[in-house]
Amino acid sequence: MDPAAKYFCREATERERAVFEGGIALAALYHQFVGTPISRADRRAVETLEDAMERAAKLQPYREDVKVKINIDARKDVSSPYGYESLRGEHLDLTVKTRYGRAKATARLRYIPELDYPLMYIEEVSEG
Amino acid sequence: MDPAAKYFCREATERERAVFEGGIALAALYHQFVGTPISRADRRAVETLEDAMERAAKLQPYREDVKVKINIDARKDVSSPYGYESLRGEHLDLTVKTRYGRAKATARLRYIPELDYPLMYIEEVSEG
Amino acid sequence: MDPAAKYFCREATERERAVFEGGIALAALYHQFVGTPISRADRRAVETLEDAMERAAKLQPYREDVKVKINIDARKDVSSPYGYESLRGEHLDLTVKTRYGRAKATARLRYIPELDYPLMYIEEVSEG
Amino acid sequence: MDPAAKYFCREATERERAVFEGGIALAALYHQFVGTPISRADRRAVETLEDAMERAAKLQPYREDVKVKINIDARKDVSSPYGYESLRGEHLDLTVKTRYGRAKATARLRYIPELDYPLMYIEEVSEG
């Protein structure tokens, strides 16, 4: 039972609920974590951040699975004390699988070179 | 023409695109701005923040209108140098109207006392 | 009277308090607002964000003045719906003047090409 | 050798540099991570977030050690899908040890009930 169901308009379908939660999950991860220090030289720090982001996103309702991949470019000289970077949308590859009732959706964020933009899009949506 | 259309699965309807953008907009506002200093004693600072949040959200694609209202509770003693607060979900009332093709959606975030939760929900969705 | 004074160690000088607040102010602005949508095509949105950032930073104690300048590069094609950017450290030029007792400090964040890094540094510190 | 030393004013002492970095580290952690979903019901998610925050903070220059403790209150009914919380300053206990040249500082953030405020303060500063 969804204690929030009554706040949603009747017109919203289960597929739309699943897709809505997917959009929320992607934007939450993006806007929460962009700016976090990351470094090619400390792979363990990056993996721990990926793990923390996945676990945080899964605490929200109707998420079935969340995968976070951070791809660091090789631009910076890591031997300098200023050789780390700040997490940007371009580094992120996010996949969020949501389910609401019988409906399922997969939402994705990844950098699209053609658009020069970290695009959030619907990769799959179905009614089970 | 939407240069990103080809990245979305064919199954995603225009209504689902509109709803997806609504979810993104709400979560972006929440996770970007939660933590910002606010104070009952400086109404102008709060209004400027509301305005900045609306304008930032409207830069993203397929937003028709964005309304941001920050409701500050009266808990803090504003005469102390530590008398300001940090923006929390409980303070926010957000309304985002999106349009994709012929479809329109209204997404809302507001604090629901019954759930003790700042709920993001779909208030309206239609095919125009 | 500073109701928090007793929590600071006795060794901390007034200059150190002023410098500490300067560091806090710069990092708060950076990590709070990096990721916010901005666009060359909407100068008003950028100015409102600068204003909101200044007003938020001034709510915190011991700030005398805060200046926020956002310099947007011309890289993006603003005619695309995906033609906006996300605020990054490289866009920011921040100046924070703090005062604690008789001590004053000016802290600055700006992008330093030589370091390829948005450096936070102490521009001035004095005992009045 | 500190490639950024020349940007700091000559008046800034080594102790002031250490204290400045401490202030930056605390505010970066606060404003970056406040808003992240956390739950009493998933202790592992909270521990991973603490670890990720420590590792991220240590990537920045002149940090000797960083400890992050997240104290979740027991207010929420974790059996609801909406039973998680968002990280707030009140949950945080942060200790950052910095060193610059011969100077060392310990900066702390913790919630002070008397002030009803998550205070950032200097716990120790010395010239080694």
PDB file of all heavy atoms in Angstrom, chain D residues 50-72:
ATOM      1  N   GLU D  50      29.502   7.939   5.299  1.00  0.00           N
ATOM      2  CA  GLU D  50      30.556   8.496   6.167  1.00  0.00           C
ATOM      3  C   GLU D  50      31.937   8.280   5.532  1.00  0.00           C
ATOM      4  O   GLU D  50      32.770   9.193   5.481  1.00  0.00           O
ATOM      5  CB  GLU D  50      30.534   7.811   7.542  1.00  0.00           C
ATOM      6  CG  GLU D  50      29.329   8.147   8.400  1.00  0.00           C
ATOM      7  CD  GLU D  50      29.199   7.283   9.664  1.00  0.00           C
ATOM      8  OE1 GLU D  50      29.783   6.165   9.709  1.00  0.00           O
ATOM      9  OE2 GLU D  50      28.500   7.706  10.594  1.00  0.00           O
ATOM     10  N   ASP D  51      32.149   7.067   5.037  1.00  0.00           N
ATOM     11  CA  ASP D  51      33.434   6.708   4.431  1.00  0.00           C
ATOM     12  C   ASP D  51      33.683   7.549   3.171  1.00  0.00           C
ATOM     13  O   ASP D  51      34.790   8.095   2.981  1.00  0.00           O
ATOM     14  CB  ASP D  51      33.388   5.207   4.109  1.00  0.00           C
ATOM     15  CG  ASP D  51      34.735   4.621   3.757  1.00  0.00           C
ATOM     16  OD1 ASP D  51      35.768   5.290   3.918  1.00  0.00           O
ATOM     17  OD2 ASP D  51      34.753   3.445   3.298  1.00  0.00           O
ATOM     18  N   ALA D  52      32.665   7.671   2.341  1.00  0.00           N
ATOM     19  CA  ALA D  52      32.809   8.457   1.100  1.00  0.00           C
ATOM     20  C   ALA D  52      33.106   9.924   1.420  1.00  0.00           C
ATOM     21  O   ALA D  52      33.916  10.566   0.735  1.00  0.00           O
ATOM     22  CB  ALA D  52      31.542   8.345   0.250  1.00  0.00           C
ATOM     23  N   MET D  53      32.460  10.456   2.444  1.00  0.00           N
ATOM     24  CA  MET D  53      32.701  11.853   2.823  1.00  0.00           C
ATOM     25  C   MET D  53      34.130  12.038   3.327  1.00  0.00           C
ATOM     26  O   MET D  53      34.808  13.013   2.969  1.00  0.00           O
ATOM     27  CB  MET D  53      31.681  12.290   3.888  1.00  0.00           C
ATOM     28  CG  MET D  53      30.256  12.405   3.346  1.00  0.00           C
ATOM     29  SD  MET D  53      28.986  12.667   4.651  1.00  0.00           S
ATOM     30  CE  MET D  53      29.373  14.344   5.199  1.00  0.00           C
ATOM     31  N   GLU D  54      34.616  11.116   4.138  1.00  0.00           N
ATOM     32  CA  GLU D  54      35.997  11.202   4.641  1.00  0.00           C
ATOM     33  C   GLU D  54      37.001  11.161   3.488  1.00  0.00           C
ATOM     34  O   GLU D  54      37.945  11.956   3.438  1.00  0.00           O
ATOM     35  CB  GLU D  54      36.289  10.053   5.612  1.00  0.00           C
ATOM     36  CG  GLU D  54      35.538  10.176   6.932  1.00  0.00           C
ATOM     37  CD  GLU D  54      35.786   9.008   7.877  1.00  0.00           C
ATOM     38  OE1 GLU D  54      36.515   8.054   7.499  1.00  0.00           O
ATOM     39  OE2 GLU D  54      35.238   9.041   9.009  1.00  0.00           O
ATOM     40  N   ARG D  55      36.792  10.211   2.581  1.00  0.00           N
ATOM     41  CA  ARG D  55      37.739  10.057   1.474  1.00  0.00           C
ATOM     42  C   ARG D  55      37.720  11.265   0.538  1.00  0.00           C
ATOM     43  O   ARG D  55      38.770  11.687   0.031  1.00  0.00           O
ATOM     44  CB  ARG D  55      37.421   8.780   0.693  1.00  0.00           C
ATOM     45  CG  ARG D  55      37.761   7.527   1.482  1.00  0.00           C
ATOM     46  CD  ARG D  55      37.334   6.255   0.739  1.00  0.00           C
ATOM     47  NE  ARG D  55      37.502   5.092   1.586  1.00  0.00           N
ATOM     48  CZ  ARG D  55      38.647   4.429   1.734  1.00  0.00           C
ATOM     49  NH1 ARG D  55      39.722   4.798   1.056  1.00  0.00           N
ATOM     50  NH2 ARG D  55      38.711   3.397   2.555  1.00  0.00           N
ATOM     51  N   ALA D  56      36.528  11.812   0.299  1.00  0.00           N
ATOM     52  CA  ALA D  56      36.440  13.005  -0.565  1.00  0.00           C
ATOM     53  C   ALA D  56      37.171  14.177   0.078  1.00  0.00           C
ATOM     54  O   ALA D  56      37.939  14.893  -0.579  1.00  0.00           O
ATOM     55  CB  ALA D  56      34.975  13.365  -0.819  1.00  0.00           C
ATOM     56  N   ALA D  57      36.961  14.384   1.378  1.00  0.00           N
ATOM     57  CA  ALA D  57      37.581  15.530   2.060  1.00  0.00           C
ATOM     58  C   ALA D  57      39.101  15.401   2.083  1.00  0.00           C
ATOM     59  O   ALA D  57      39.826  16.403   2.004  1.00  0.00           O
ATOM     60  CB  ALA D  57      37.036  15.659   3.478  1.00  0.00           C
ATOM     61  N   LYS D  58      39.589  14.169   2.176  1.00  0.00           N
ATOM     62  CA  LYS D  58      41.043  13.971   2.235  1.00  0.00           C
ATOM     63  C   LYS D  58      41.729  14.224   0.893  1.00  0.00           C
ATOM     64  O   LYS D  58      42.956  14.342   0.847  1.00  0.00           O
ATOM     65  CB  LYS D  58      41.354  12.549   2.694  1.00  0.00           C
ATOM     66  CG  LYS D  58      41.134  12.330   4.189  1.00  0.00           C
ATOM     67  CD  LYS D  58      41.455  10.888   4.555  1.00  0.00           C
ATOM     68  CE  LYS D  58      40.983  10.553   5.957  1.00  0.00           C
ATOM     69  NZ  LYS D  58      40.977   9.080   6.180  1.00  0.00           N
ATOM     70  N   LEU D  59      40.969  14.270  -0.205  1.00  0.00           N
ATOM     71  CA  LEU D  59      41.582  14.560  -1.505  1.00  0.00           C
ATOM     72  C   LEU D  59      42.038  16.013  -1.594  1.00  0.00           C
ATOM     73  O   LEU D  59      42.905  16.342  -2.398  1.00  0.00           O
ATOM     74  CB  LEU D  59      40.596  14.285  -2.643  1.00  0.00           C
ATOM     75  CG  LEU D  59      40.223  12.819  -2.861  1.00  0.00           C
ATOM     76  CD1 LEU D  59      39.188  12.708  -3.982  1.00  0.00           C
ATOM     77  CD2 LEU D  59      41.455  11.983  -3.209  1.00  0.00           C
ATOM     78  N   GLN D  60      41.457  16.870  -0.770  1.00  0.00           N
ATOM     79  CA  GLN D  60      41.828  18.289  -0.828  1.00  0.00           C
ATOM     80  C   GLN D  60      43.133  18.514  -0.066  1.00  0.00           C
ATOM     81  O   GLN D  60      43.480  17.755   0.829  1.00  0.00           O
ATOM     82  CB  GLN D  60      40.685  19.131  -0.257  1.00  0.00           C
ATOM     83  CG  GLN D  60      39.393  18.931  -1.072  1.00  0.00           C
ATOM     84  CD  GLN D  60      38.302  19.903  -0.694  1.00  0.00           C
ATOM     85  OE1 GLN D  60      37.874  19.947   0.440  1.00  0.00           O
ATOM     86  NE2 GLN D  60      37.870  20.693  -1.648  1.00  0.00           N
ATOM     87  N   PRO D  61      43.886  19.556  -0.440  1.00  0.00           N
ATOM     88  CA  PRO D  61      45.248  19.692   0.096  1.00  0.00           C
ATOM     89  C   PRO D  61      45.311  20.037   1.586  1.00  0.00           C
ATOM     90  O   PRO D  61      44.418  20.712   2.106  1.00  0.00           O
ATOM     91  CB  PRO D  61      45.840  20.829  -0.744  1.00  0.00           C
ATOM     92  CG  PRO D  61      44.688  21.535  -1.345  1.00  0.00           C
ATOM     93  CD  PRO D  61      43.568  20.549  -1.464  1.00  0.00           C
ATOM     94  N   TYR D  62      46.338  19.555   2.243  1.00  0.00           N
ATOM     95  CA  TYR D  62      46.696  19.941   3.620  1.00  0.00           C
ATOM     96  C   TYR D  62      45.770  19.360   4.686  1.00  0.00           C
ATOM     97  O   TYR D  62      45.809  19.778   5.825  1.00  0.00           O
ATOM     98  CB  TYR D  62      46.835  21.475   3.757  1.00  0.00           C
ATOM     99  CG  TYR D  62      47.710  22.011   2.650  1.00  0.00           C
ATOM    100  CD1 TYR D  62      47.206  22.869   1.681  1.00  0.00           C
ATOM    101  CD2 TYR D  62      49.030  21.587   2.538  1.00  0.00           C
ATOM    102  CE1 TYR D  62      48.007  23.293   0.629  1.00  0.00           C
ATOM    103  CE2 TYR D  62      49.824  22.004   1.488  1.00  0.00           C
ATOM    104  CZ  TYR D  62      49.308  22.857   0.541  1.00  0.00           C
ATOM    105  OH  TYR D  62      50.089  23.258  -0.499  1.00  0.00           O
ATOM    106  N   ARG D  63      44.958  18.336   4.312  1.00  0.00           N
ATOM    107  CA  ARG D  63      44.174  17.600   5.306  1.00  0.00           C
ATOM    108  C   ARG D  63      45.030  16.443   5.818  1.00  0.00           C
ATOM    109  O   ARG D  63      45.506  15.634   5.026  1.00  0.00           O
ATOM    110  CB  ARG D  63      42.918  16.985   4.675  1.00  0.00           C
ATOM    111  CG  ARG D  63      41.733  17.938   4.549  1.00  0.00           C
ATOM    112  CD  ARG D  63      41.876  18.835   3.363  1.00  0.00           C
ATOM    113  NE  ARG D  63      40.720  19.657   3.090  1.00  0.00           N
ATOM    114  CZ  ARG D  63      40.817  20.964   2.823  1.00  0.00           C
ATOM    115  NH1 ARG D  63      41.970  21.594   2.812  1.00  0.00           N
ATOM    116  NH2 ARG D  63      39.734  21.645   2.539  1.00  0.00           N
ATOM    117  N   GLU D  64      45.174  16.345   7.143  1.00  0.00           N
ATOM    118  CA  GLU D  64      45.901  15.213   7.716  1.00  0.00           C
ATOM    119  C   GLU D  64      44.947  14.074   8.049  1.00  0.00           C
ATOM    120  O   GLU D  64      45.281  12.907   7.905  1.00  0.00           O
ATOM    121  CB  GLU D  64      46.607  15.642   9.002  1.00  0.00           C
ATOM    122  CG  GLU D  64      47.751  16.588   8.772  1.00  0.00           C
ATOM    123  CD  GLU D  64      49.082  15.899   8.984  1.00  0.00           C
ATOM    124  OE1 GLU D  64      49.357  15.502  10.122  1.00  0.00           O
ATOM    125  OE2 GLU D  64      49.826  15.780   7.989  1.00  0.00           O
ATOM    126  N   ASP D  65      43.784  14.422   8.555  1.00  0.00           N
ATOM    127  CA  ASP D  65      42.807  13.390   8.899  1.00  0.00           C
ATOM    128  C   ASP D  65      41.403  13.998   8.898  1.00  0.00           C
ATOM    129  O   ASP D  65      41.235  15.190   9.195  1.00  0.00           O
ATOM    130  CB  ASP D  65      43.102  12.804  10.282  1.00  0.00           C
ATOM    131  CG  ASP D  65      42.378  11.480  10.466  1.00  0.00           C
ATOM    132  OD1 ASP D  65      42.095  10.788   9.462  1.00  0.00           O
ATOM    133  OD2 ASP D  65      42.088  11.133  11.626  1.00  0.00           O
ATOM    134  N   VAL D  66      40.432  13.176   8.561  1.00  0.00           N
ATOM    135  CA  VAL D  66      39.031  13.608   8.540  1.00  0.00           C
ATOM    136  C   VAL D  66      38.186  12.487   9.130  1.00  0.00           C
ATOM    137  O   VAL D  66      38.322  11.325   8.712  1.00  0.00           O
ATOM    138  CB  VAL D  66      38.556  13.907   7.101  1.00  0.00           C
ATOM    139  CG1 VAL D  66      37.093  14.345   7.089  1.00  0.00           C
ATOM    140  CG2 VAL D  66      39.440  14.964   6.432  1.00  0.00           C
ATOM    141  N   LYS D  67      37.349  12.838  10.115  1.00  0.00           N
ATOM    142  CA  LYS D  67      36.428  11.852  10.692  1.00  0.00           C
ATOM    143  C   LYS D  67      35.004  12.373  10.517  1.00  0.00           C
ATOM    144  O   LYS D  67      34.710  13.524  10.875  1.00  0.00           O
ATOM    145  CB  LYS D  67      36.678  11.664  12.195  1.00  0.00           C
ATOM    146  CG  LYS D  67      37.936  10.906  12.529  1.00  0.00           C
ATOM    147  CD  LYS D  67      37.776   9.391  12.337  1.00  0.00           C
ATOM    148  CE  LYS D  67      39.098   8.651  12.491  1.00  0.00           C
ATOM    149  NZ  LYS D  67      39.505   7.934  11.241  1.00  0.00           N
ATOM    150  N   VAL D  68      34.146  11.505   9.990  1.00  0.00           N
ATOM    151  CA  VAL D  68      32.738  11.861   9.777  1.00  0.00           C
ATOM    152  C   VAL D  68      31.867  10.880  10.542  1.00  0.00           C
ATOM    153  O   VAL D  68      31.977   9.663  10.358  1.00  0.00           O
ATOM    154  CB  VAL D  68      32.386  11.793   8.276  1.00  0.00           C
ATOM    155  CG1 VAL D  68      30.884  12.010   8.066  1.00  0.00           C
ATOM    156  CG2 VAL D  68      33.194  12.813   7.485  1.00  0.00           C
ATOM    157  N   LYS D  69      31.016  11.431  11.400  1.00  0.00           N
ATOM    158  CA  LYS D  69      30.071  10.594  12.140  1.00  0.00           C
ATOM    159  C   LYS D  69      28.678  11.156  11.871  1.00  0.00           C
ATOM    160  O   LYS D  69      28.453  12.353  12.031  1.00  0.00           O
ATOM    161  CB  LYS D  69      30.425  10.678  13.642  1.00  0.00           C
ATOM    162  CG  LYS D  69      29.625   9.763  14.534  1.00  0.00           C
ATOM    163  CD  LYS D  69      30.184   8.348  14.529  1.00  0.00           C
ATOM    164  CE  LYS D  69      29.150   7.344  15.047  1.00  0.00           C
ATOM    165  NZ  LYS D  69      27.943   7.235  14.208  1.00  0.00           N
ATOM    166  N   ILE D  70      27.770  10.274  11.459  1.00  0.00           N
ATOM    167  CA  ILE D  70      26.378  10.670  11.207  1.00  0.00           C
ATOM    168  C   ILE D  70      25.504  10.047  12.286  1.00  0.00           C
ATOM    169  O   ILE D  70      25.433   8.819  12.397  1.00  0.00           O
ATOM    170  CB  ILE D  70      25.928  10.209   9.802  1.00  0.00           C
ATOM    171  CG1 ILE D  70      26.764  10.914   8.725  1.00  0.00           C
ATOM    172  CG2 ILE D  70      24.434  10.481   9.597  1.00  0.00           C
ATOM    173  CD1 ILE D  70      26.543  10.390   7.313  1.00  0.00           C
ATOM    174  N   ASN D  71      24.873  10.891  13.091  1.00  0.00           N
ATOM    175  CA  ASN D  71      24.014  10.428  14.181  1.00  0.00           C
ATOM    176  C   ASN D  71      22.557  10.602  13.760  1.00  0.00           C
ATOM    177  O   ASN D  71      22.073  11.732  13.679  1.00  0.00           O
ATOM    178  CB  ASN D  71      24.271  11.256  15.441  1.00  0.00           C
ATOM    179  CG  ASN D  71      25.725  11.196  15.863  1.00  0.00           C
ATOM    180  OD1 ASN D  71      26.269  10.115  16.072  1.00  0.00           O
ATOM    181  ND2 ASN D  71      26.375  12.360  15.953  1.00  0.00           N
ATOM    182  N   ILE D  72      21.876   9.508  13.503  1.00  0.00           N
ATOM    183  CA  ILE D  72      20.485   9.608  13.043  1.00  0.00           C
ATOM    184  C   ILE D  72      19.567   9.543  14.238  1.00  0.00           C
ATOM    185  O   ILE D  72      19.673   8.655  15.078  1.00  0.00           O
ATOM    186  CB  ILE D  72      20.118   8.471  12.097  1.00  0.00           C
ATOM    187  CG1 ILE D  72      21.169   8.335  11.013  1.00  0.00           C
ATOM    188  CG2 ILE D  72      18.750   8.730  11.484  1.00  0.00           C
ATOM    189  CD1 ILE D  72      20.822   7.299   9.984  1.00  0.00           C
TER     190      ILE D  72
END
